[in-house]
Amino acid sequence: MYDRGLGVLEQYGLTAETVLRGRGALICQTEKGWKSIREYWGSPGRLEQQRKIQKRCKETGFLLVDQVEENLEGQVVTTGEDGIPYVVKEWFQGTECNPRSGEDILSSMEAMAKLHTVMQAEQDEDMPGADLLEECRRHNRELRRTRKFVQKKKAKNPFEERLAQSITAFLEAGEGMVKELEDSDYERFCKEHRQEVCHGDCNQHNIIFTREGIGFMNFDYWHCGSQTEDLCLFMRKILEKHNWDPELGRRMAEQYNRKRSLSVEEWKHLKLCLSYPWRYWKLVNYYASSQKVWISRKNIEKIEQATALWQPWQRFLQSFC
């Protein structure tokens, strides 16, 4: 139904004057501004921690974060009449960061740096973290399994042919990144940055340009850890659209560094993050978890694009930092 979940606004003392449909959410104009309503199946405790972090951002001067609202009973998760749990958040009217606009890209880097300076966890909070090393090891194991599976297949579809031809180079890049991360005293680095909070999904869709400034939305994947991981994700998403242009990458990193100075160790960690074949692994993961009966032309094009970026990506890494 179009208005599914709309009734929960009553539990916030709000009334919808205008209702629009967004990505997996209802967007409503209310007497207290624009709000979004979305199903939420996660932990209320994690959401409460998220609210505290966002509240702290606002208190320290970064106002444009889509803070989770409390209902009239002080709860962050509200069950609708349909029995489904919902969360209500602030919504910003504006436009997403344009990944083809140099001005938008650099402005987003500056805004991200400002957000990171205030997005910190309290010392005594038991915050969820992320283990980049274990994540990449797990991805490499999947790449190895998939390579073995595809190489054994006698009759390969066009996607599998391209996969068989290219997967070894990307796997070796992933294994090289893990080896460097293991040799970099990663455990100590993590401890030193334990109190930092990452947005977790810092891409162009979650950075909104409004009349009041640049806002950040959808903190669903937030976690504690080095904020260079946010920086890596945004840079990678943008640079893949610009053929891994070294000059653009330099300007992006420098723009961030002007507002939040990176240490030598953070620069090294950023380069390591950028040296993992994230895009290629994502395609392999999709293939490995699919039925494999039919592969769409779109996914064939995606793997062709990913392999075409191999040389520009390697040149970028050689010149970076």
Side-chain angles (χ1 to χ4, degrees):
M1 295 293 291
Y2 181 78
D3 60 351
R4 184 172 171 178
L6 192 61
V8 299
L9 285 181
E10 295 179 5
Q11 300 183 54
Y12 292 80
L14 299 174
T15 304
E17 300 170 0
T18 304
V19 181
L20 306 172
R21 180 165 291 281
R23 292 180 180 175
L26 287 180
I27 312 303
C28 310
Q29 185 179 24
T30 74
E31 59 268 45
K32 292 186 179 180
W34 287 87
K35 310 293 180 184
S36 72
I37 306 171
R38 186 186 299 267
E39 292 183 18
Y40 181 77
W41 298 97
S43 162
R46 175 179 168 85
L47 198 62
E48 182 59 46
Q49 287 179 320
Q50 176 182 325
R51 175 176 166 77
K52 288 180 180 178
I53 291 169
Q54 293 173 312
K55 184 178 180 181
R56 197 176 302 135
C57 289
K58 290 196 168 191
E59 290 173 347
T60 49
F62 200 101
L63 303 179
L64 295 176
V65 292
D66 63 339
Q67 185 162 355
V68 176
E69 301 278 356
E70 288 184 339
N71 61 27
L72 296 176
E73 296 181 358
Q75 299 172 331
V76 291
V77 179
T78 304
T79 302
E81 294 179 354
D82 51 9
I84 295 176
Y86 293 94
V87 61
V88 175
K89 298 187 293 184
E90 293 181 74
W91 181 263
F92 306 134
Q93 278 191 299
T95 58
E96 295 180 356
C97 169
N98 181 354
R100 297 295 180 183
S101 165
E103 183 178 353
D104 275 16
I105 292 167
L106 296 182
S107 296
S108 296
M109 294 297 289
E110 182 177 339
M112 189 193 308
K114 291 178 179 178
L115 175 66
H116 282 165
T117 59
V118 300
M119 202 159 65
Q120 303 288 324
E122 293 181 359
Q123 293 288 332
D124 60 346
E125 288 183 320
D126 184 20
M127 295 293 194
D131 190 333
L132 179 66
L133 180 55
E134 182 52 39
E135 179 184 3
C136 292
R137 284 171 174 164
R138 187 171 65 251
H139 293 345
N140 286 347
R141 288 194 293 269
E142 184 173 3
L143 288 171
R144 284 192 290 272
R145 286 195 303 269
T146 304
R147 180 177 66 172
K148 185 177 181 179
F149 173 80
V150 172
Q151 287 178 341
K152 283 185 174 181
K153 285 197 70 175
K154 293 183 179 179
K156 299 179 177 63
N157 61 41
F159 181 91
E160 291 166 339
E161 289 176 354
R162 288 159 177 78
L163 195 65
Q165 294 166 2
S166 59
I167 193 169
T168 294
F170 285 94
L171 173 57
E172 289 177 351
E175 290 176 333
M177 180 271 196
V178 165
K179 180 64 168 60
E180 286 193 59
L181 200 57
E182 290 172 338
D183 295 341
S184 69
D185 200 358
Y186 176 67
E187 186 176 348
R188 176 186 58 80
F189 181 82
C190 288
K191 288 180 179 178
E192 291 176 353
H193 296 271
R194 176 63 182 168
Q195 304 309 317
E196 295 177 12
V197 180
C198 295
H199 177 282
D201 196 18
C202 228
N203 59 54
Q204 64 270 25
H205 304 299
N206 292 329
I207 302 176
I208 309 298
F209 285 67
T210 77
R211 292 180 179 179
E212 293 76 29
I214 300 176
F216 286 76
M217 307 184 73
N218 299 323
F219 286 70
D220 300 356
Y221 298 98
W222 72 271
H223 59 270
C224 289
S226 172
Q227 291 168 333
T228 51
E229 293 177 26
D230 274 350
L231 186 53
C232 167
L233 175 60
F234 184 68
M235 288 184 67
R236 179 177 67 82
K237 291 287 188 179
I238 297 299
L239 290 169
E240 285 173 349
K241 297 181 183 298
H242 290 264
N243 205 37
W244 285 96
D245 180 3
E247 176 61 19
L248 176 59
R250 181 190 64 78
R251 290 168 59 205
M252 291 175 71
E254 287 182 353
Q255 185 75 1
Y256 180 95
N257 193 58
R258 289 190 185 99
K259 294 298 179 180
R260 180 182 176 272
S261 182
L262 296 170
S263 67
V264 173
E265 291 300 315
E266 286 177 304
W267 279 109
K268 291 179 180 178
H269 189 254
L270 174 59
K271 185 173 182 179
L272 280 175
C273 288
L274 289 167
S275 66
Y276 193 83
W278 300 103
R279 182 178 183 178
Y280 190 89
W281 166 79
K282 188 175 180 181
L283 287 167
V284 171
N285 174 257
Y286 176 82
Y287 167 78
S289 58
S290 70
Q291 294 289 335
K292 303 181 183 61
V293 176
W294 177 78
I295 303 294
S296 70
R297 179 60 200 172
K298 184 176 182 180
N299 282 306
I300 296 173
E301 292 173 355
K302 284 182 177 180
I303 198 168
E304 289 174 345
Q305 292 166 358
T307 53
L309 286 173
W310 169 266
Q311 290 296 341
W313 177 45
Q314 294 303 303
R315 286 194 294 269
F316 171 86
L317 292 173
Q318 290 171 8
S319 66
F320 189 67
C321 296

